[in-house]
Amino acid sequence: MWLWLLAGLAGLYLLRRWHRERQTVPRLSDKFVLITGCDSGFGNLLARQLDARGLPVLAACLSEAGAARLRADASSRLQTVLLDVTSSQSIAAAAAWVRERVGSQGLWGLVNNAGVAVPSGPNEWLTKEDFAKVLDVNLLGLIEVTLSLLPLLRQARGRVVNVASVMGRVSMFGGGYCISKYGVEAFSDSLRLEMRYFGVKVSIIKPGYFTTAMASFDTHSKCFLSCWERLPQETKAAYGDNYMEGLLSGFNTLQISFSPTLRLVTDCMEHALTSCHPRARYSAGWDAKLIYIPFSYLPSAFTDLIFSWFYPKPPLKA
């Protein structure tokens, strides 16, 4: 009897949640959304997706070539701006540009999507500057862009959507990427609490592995090789020549599981922007839902054992 009662309550909860999440905010055609990192990947797809739905999209691209390609694929509603999230001057100029376009209604949505994944590799192979290159884009740039636009977001009682990663829950490799995504989670959590009484909702998107330019084998293999070549001979001897081959082989094997369906991520972003009741966290991809997020709740000793099976092994010392 109790099992039937619990099943019924669970069913009612899921039905209520399904109903709440299907409710969308009115007058979407009046709500401006700024998306960073629109040259390619998730940002480019989301810009076209929201544009097709009738939202006025402000797409921030790093290059004029990327901006031109996007404008060619979208309607005349979509507007582009050049933005380098590592430059305070560029961020200030973009914020002023956004302010001119949204006017008194404010900015409804900010999607912090811009990101990089390299330099990455074993931590000992990297320098402080290597870590800083990734953190400047993925975390510090995201924070500065958000702070510069918070007045406009409060004005519209809008949405902040920050792209983290499953690697912000479990750290499988060295470098600034995982560190930056843990930081995005922390910043987003504190911002969500602070903005609660201003009516601004903050959501975190946690994609698994997807086939994007940022995750290409060529990009990462070149980075691994570059880091390896500059190591002192003593460090190379400690890791052994086979370690590099193991890294490349492991990453190549991991690529088999990458999903080409980027829409799984952009649909989460769209829901966070258009739903009356957005979630605080979205997991996108089968690997995120079935592997990485569940693993993040398990004891570290267990996850260390599992992940270490896929790590290359240095030579054993006598």
Side-chain angles (χ1 to χ4, degrees):
M1 176 180 176
W2 286 108
L3 289 177
W4 284 108
L5 179 60
L6 289 174
L9 290 173
L12 288 173
Y13 167 77
L14 292 174
L15 182 63
R16 179 178 180 272
R17 179 177 174 178
W18 174 81
H19 174 69
R20 279 170 54 87
E21 292 195 343
R22 285 177 60 86
Q23 299 174 31
T24 58
V25 296
R27 300 186 301 277
L28 288 174
S29 60
D30 297 331
K31 300 188 183 303
F32 285 88
V33 175
L34 174 69
I35 309 165
T36 67
C38 290
D39 298 76
S40 62
F42 300 133
N44 184 279
L45 177 57
L46 179 65
R48 290 183 283 114
Q49 192 170 318
L50 295 181
D51 177 61
R53 192 165 176 180
L55 279 78
V57 175
L58 307 175
C61 299
L62 182 60
S63 68
E64 179 54 45
R69 287 193 300 269
L70 179 56
R71 287 195 300 269
D73 292 335
S75 75
S76 58
R77 279 188 310 272
L78 184 143
Q79 301 177 65
T80 60
V81 62
L82 296 184
L83 172 62
D84 177 358
V85 299
T86 66
S87 165
S88 295
Q89 183 178 358
S90 179
I91 292 172
W97 179 86
V98 171
R99 193 174 296 110
E100 290 178 359
R101 269 118 191 108
V102 302
S104 60
Q105 68 189 73
L107 180 65
W108 171 255
L110 167 63
V111 182
N112 282 306
N113 166 75
V116 295
V118 293
S120 66
N123 287 308
E124 192 177 6
W125 296 13
L126 303 172
T127 65
K128 177 183 175 181
E129 288 71 26
D130 291 330
F131 285 88
K133 286 177 183 177
V134 179
L135 291 169
D136 281 347
V137 176
N138 294 4
L139 181 57
L140 299 179
L142 177 150
I143 291 172
E144 187 172 2
V145 169
T146 304
L147 296 181
S148 69
L149 294 169
L150 268 184
L152 296 176
L153 289 158
R154 284 193 287 101
Q155 187 177 350
R157 299 175 66 86
R159 309 286 172 83
V160 178
V161 181
N162 290 332
V163 181
S165 167
V166 291
M167 293 297 105
R169 298 294 296 271
V170 290
S171 188
M172 282 181 58
F173 52 85
Y177 185 80
C178 296
I179 298 170
S180 70
K181 296 306 182 180
Y182 271 82
V184 170
E185 292 256 353
F187 174 67
S188 301
D189 284 343
S190 62
L191 186 67
R192 188 176 62 253
L193 291 172
E194 293 166 357
M195 291 292 106
R196 181 182 180 90
Y197 295 106
F198 291 104
V200 177
K201 294 180 170 61
V202 180
S203 297
I204 304 170
I205 311 295
K206 295 178 292 187
Y209 281 104
F210 286 83
T211 306
T212 63
M214 192 170 70
S216 75
F217 177 77
D218 287 345
T219 299
H220 285 270
S221 61
K222 288 176 182 177
C223 178
F224 293 158
L225 289 168
S226 175
C227 292
W228 173 259
E229 288 170 358
R230 73 187 184 194
L231 289 177
Q233 195 57 44
E234 179 185 0
T235 306
K236 286 184 177 180
Y239 282 87
D241 293 335
N242 290 335
Y243 199 94
M244 167 59 72
E245 296 176 9
L247 273 181
L248 296 175
S249 175
F251 189 83
N252 195 33
T253 301
L254 183 63
Q255 276 201 312
I256 298 172
S257 67
F258 288 10
S259 172
T261 314
L262 305 190
R263 182 95 189 211
L264 294 174
V265 178
T266 58
D267 281 350
C268 292
M269 297 171 172
E270 182 178 347
H271 186 272
L273 291 166
T274 62
S275 172
C276 290
H277 306 285
R279 303 179 191 177
R281 282 177 165 79
Y282 293 83
S283 301
W286 70 267
D287 54 345
K289 297 178 186 295
L290 300 180
I291 300 177
Y292 299 111
I293 300 301
F295 269 34
S296 71
Y297 292 102
L298 296 176
S300 296
F302 177 81
T303 55
D304 285 353
L305 178 64
I306 297 298
F307 291 146
S308 66
W309 288 348
F310 301 97
Y311 256 68
K313 307 296 187 293
L316 294 176
K317 301 298 182 182

